[in-house]
Amino acid sequence: MSRAERLLDLIQILRRHRRPVSGRSLAGEMGVSIRTLYRDIATLQGQGAPIEGEAGLGYVLRPGFMLPPLMFTDEEIEAIVLGSRWVAKQPDWRLANAATDALAKIAAVLPDDLREELDASTLLVGSRTEVTEGIDLGVVRQAIREERKLSFVYRDAGGAASERTALGFFDKVRVVAAWCEMRQDFRHFRADRISGLNATEMRYPRRRQVLLKEWRATLDTPS
């Protein structure tokens, strides 16, 4: 690995950490000596990278730092293309258009050789799945970003309807994971069974990150 590649890897590792990480931890993850790690940190700082911290306290990269031009490995390009193509085939037209636009923006700033790799990717996604959803999942995502409660009518497999007030988390494969105030528990709602969707003005009782952590904990709990 060249020194330039090592410096790029160090930037990527720092991006993954939101809190200061010790030099020894960084050196271990990079597979270099602690002296080499300190020299690399100093080099990046000298080139303008907003890395804060010092030996013994740890290091953190301030948010918003970019390293143009964008550089990706073959596997990273394939992951970007495959993920964007999958989202672009989903019925959520706002998210589909955003995926297409994002891929175009990435392609526009890539070096010529990497842009050719992106365009020539042979990883394909199947045809769009037809669904009969009657709600706009963009409303769900907006309520999540603003941490506002959602209310809706939900029909079970037998067609019985019940009115719910929920704290939306996110949508994945058209399933909304949420805290159900009627059941006082986390529930998963199929989007095609939701109707009467309404984003209320009521705020979450706790921050979204806290609720997300609690939901994830339930996935590790034996049923």
Side-chain angles (χ1 to χ4, degrees), residues 139-155:
V139 174
V140 177
R141 292 196 306 276
Q142 183 66 28
I144 291 168
R145 287 192 291 267
E146 296 176 356
E147 297 190 347
R148 290 189 290 136
K149 297 181 182 181
L150 292 165
S151 67
F152 54 85
V153 174
Y154 190 71
R155 297 186 179 277

Side-chain angles (χ1 to χ4, degrees), residues 67-82:
L67 264 183
L70 293 177
M71 302 295 290
F72 297 103
T73 66
D74 292 340
E75 287 78 12
E76 288 170 342
I77 288 177
E78 290 178 345
I80 291 169
V81 171
L82 185 61

Side-chain angles (χ1 to χ4, degrees), residues 109-122:
V109 298
L110 285 175
D112 291 342
D113 57 335
L114 291 182
R115 188 182 304 118
E116 291 177 2
E117 289 290 333
L118 185 147
D119 293 337
S121 174
T122 56

